[in-house]
Amino acid sequence: MTDSNSDIDSGREPGTETVAETDGGVAEAETESETDASASEPSDEGAETSDSVSIANPTLSDDAVERVESILESGMLADGPEVRAFEDEYAAYCGTDRAVATSNGTTALHAALEALGLEEGDAVLTSPFSFVASANAIRLAGARPVFADIDPETYTLDPDAVERILEERDDVVGLLPVHLYGLAADMKRLCEIADERDLFVLEDACQAHGAEIDRERVGSFGDAACFSFYPTKNMTTGEGGVITTDRDDLADRAASFVNHGRDVGEGGSYEHVDLGHNYRMTSLAAAIGREQLERLPDFNRARRENAAYYDEQLAELPVETPTEPDGYRHVYHQYTIRTDERDELAATLDERGVDTGVYYGTPIHRQPAYETVSTAAASLPEAERAAETVLSLPVHPTLSERDRRTVVEAVTDHFHSQ
């Protein structure tokens, strides 16, 4: 995130179910970027070409294509100066000293946890209501995930639940809060808890590019943070990820880990000082990312405007719309509502040509891959309740006015027909 308070964003996870996330409230006044002013203004242009409303619509400009063509012509396709430039620009956007680009959000999480020095037997406390990569990365780094329940309004880690677990366990070495659907977790309280117990904090910001708390961007609160640039995120590199941090030691270890354990001071040498992976970002991905970062403020503004429209139009219906706490800035990677009629509503919307998604229908601690994890049998009622009731509606920046009306009319007709 940058020194200025401009925004940018777009996204979604791979899976068999689709979903869209969003935020409640109207964006504060901002200066519209010259790059893609149309991204923040829904219109009916192209509305006649399709009767369906997609859950996501990644968009690349002609400028992105030209940048990629330039990289292709240069022949420097893998890691190189283009990646270094993207790292510098993304660190500036988040307000951090360093950034380390990676091949995707999962490898960013894994590399960051390795750089934090996890050891066998260590436990890391995280959310059960997230894409599975957040917990998988902990296990890949040799530690054990411990799950705390979520706040039912924000879907993020409940600090009270975190404190209760920490009172019972002495093996937890760090916290991995997840900023879900584009809304930041309660970082001030979680960081205070971590400071009191000398725990590290690693932000999973893979769905929250540009989200803020009191005008500070996510990615700058913990020891480090990780972002994903999957095609449906608020911004994309095709596939890609990045670690942001103010700690030079952590950044250097992560940069070494993603490049086969090479000494970061030795460039392309064959001196390998530690174990590592090939988790590098390509120059092609970085070229796309630099263009997307310039447009992120417009993307996020459009998502917030779409979310505000839904908030207003759905206010009188028996659904729970997203929360935006005081001082927070939601960037609506997904616009997620709650209803006890989730499956029936999704079926109605499907009949009307509106894509929806469920993020996430099975909490991580109930996944088959987690049956042997020590906290798999824990009672986490808020996460389990959310999994039964959440439904995401299209909120991406290219929605037209007609698209938005189609979504609202379908939801309204469903409940009025009851």
Side-chain angles (χ1 to χ4, degrees):
M1 303 149 172
T2 59
D3 303 314
S4 67
N5 275 312
S6 60
D7 317 337
I8 221 167
D9 215 16
S10 162
R12 179 186 93 188
E13 250 78 74
T16 55
E17 295 171 312
T18 48
V19 143
E21 299 134 337
T22 186
D23 136 333
V26 180
E28 58 269 19
E30 296 165 348
T31 303
E32 189 167 85
S33 160
E34 297 286 327
T35 356
D36 190 16
S38 63
S40 65
E41 301 205 7
S43 73
D44 285 332
E45 183 180 350
E48 298 300 328
T49 62
S50 174
D51 291 331
S52 64
V53 183
S54 65
I55 195 71
N57 184 30
T59 174
L60 297 179
S61 69
D62 291 342
D63 182 41
V65 174
E66 291 173 3
R67 293 188 191 201
V68 169
E69 289 174 344
S70 176
I71 296 296
L72 290 170
E73 290 170 0
S74 75
M76 188 171 287
L77 308 186
D79 191 19
E82 192 76 6
V83 179
R84 301 289 83 76
F86 177 61
E87 289 173 334
D88 290 345
E89 290 164 9
Y90 202 81
Y93 179 75
C94 291
T96 60
D97 294 334
R98 300 281 298 276
V100 178
T102 70
S103 54
N104 56 61
T106 304
T107 57
L109 286 164
H110 183 195
L113 288 164
E114 293 283 356
L116 284 161
L118 288 182
E119 298 179 355
E120 189 173 350
D122 287 344
V124 178
L125 199 154
T126 191
S127 172
F129 194 62
S130 169
F131 185 59
V132 72
S134 52
N136 281 355
I138 295 169
R139 296 176 70 183
L140 290 168
R144 290 174 294 144
V146 174
F147 300 110
D149 213 349
I150 61 170
D151 181 314
E153 298 213 355
T154 65
Y155 307 109
T156 61
L157 270 179
D158 179 355
D160 291 335
V162 169
E163 287 196 309
R164 286 194 294 270
I165 290 174
L166 292 175
E167 288 170 1
E168 299 171 355
R169 304 182 64 124
D170 60 6
D171 58 345
V172 175
V173 299
L175 307 182
L176 199 163
V178 179
H179 306 316
L180 201 69
Y181 301 152
L183 180 66
D186 187 348
M187 292 308 300
K188 296 199 171 178
R189 176 102 182 270
L190 291 171
C191 286
E192 287 173 359
I193 293 170
D195 288 344
E196 290 169 1
R197 293 169 171 79
D198 195 26
L199 309 176
F200 71 73
V201 176
L202 175 62
E203 301 171 63
D204 181 338
C206 289
Q207 298 185 9
H209 318 66
E212 298 176 1
I213 304 174
D214 294 335
R215 303 192 73 79
E216 292 183 52
R217 291 208 174 107
V218 300
S220 63
F221 289 98
D223 292 273
C226 297
F227 295 82
S228 166
F229 303 120
Y230 187 72
T232 56
K233 300 296 186 185
N234 291 39
M235 62 170 283
T236 185
T237 61
E239 278 276 19
V242 75
I243 302 162
T244 57
T245 183
D246 286 327
R247 290 177 47 181
D248 286 334
D249 62 329
L250 200 158
D252 287 345
R253 287 196 296 269
S256 174
F257 187 79
V258 305
N259 193 18
H260 297 290
R262 283 188 168 103
D263 186 334
V264 294
E266 296 298 320
S269 79
Y270 285 93
E271 187 72 19
H272 302 272
V273 298
D274 212 337
L275 188 65
H277 280 277
N278 177 359
Y279 283 173
R280 299 185 301 254
M281 176 179 280
T282 68
S283 293
L284 295 169
I288 296 171
R290 295 181 71 189
E291 181 271 347
Q292 289 275 294
L293 184 59
E294 292 173 359
R295 300 171 70 197
L296 183 56
D298 291 326
F299 290 157
N300 281 351
R301 185 180 303 112
R303 286 176 178 272
R304 287 179 57 81
E305 289 174 355
N306 290 337
Y309 175 84
Y310 287 150
D311 285 346
E312 180 181 0
Q313 298 297 317
L314 303 179
E316 303 303 319
L317 297 177
V319 298
E320 182 180 324
T321 54
T323 294
E324 184 177 60
D326 289 344
Y328 283 62
R329 190 170 192 280
H330 202 316
V331 292
Y332 298 100
H333 166 56
Q334 303 288 353
Y335 186 91
T336 302
I337 63 174
R338 293 184 73 160
T339 171
D340 290 333
E341 296 183 29
R342 190 263 305 284
D343 295 340
E344 296 84 352
L345 176 58
T348 297
L349 290 168
D350 182 61
E351 291 171 0
R352 300 281 286 269
V354 176
D355 287 347
T356 61
V358 175
Y359 287 137
Y360 296 90
T362 303
I364 299 174
H365 67 295
R366 298 299 186 210
Q367 294 284 354
Y370 280 77
E371 290 176 353
T372 60
V373 174
S374 62
T375 55
S379 175
L380 302 168
E382 297 299 348
E384 290 164 15
R385 178 63 177 154
E388 296 171 350
T389 57
V390 294
L391 184 70
S392 294
L393 307 178
V395 73
H396 57 81
T398 61
L399 288 178
S400 67
E401 288 283 3
R402 180 175 180 177
D403 291 336
R404 300 194 314 191
R405 288 197 303 270
T406 297
V407 173
V408 167
E409 287 169 3
V411 175
T412 301
D413 290 350
H414 171 81
F415 286 106
H416 287 175
S417 66
Q418 303 301 304

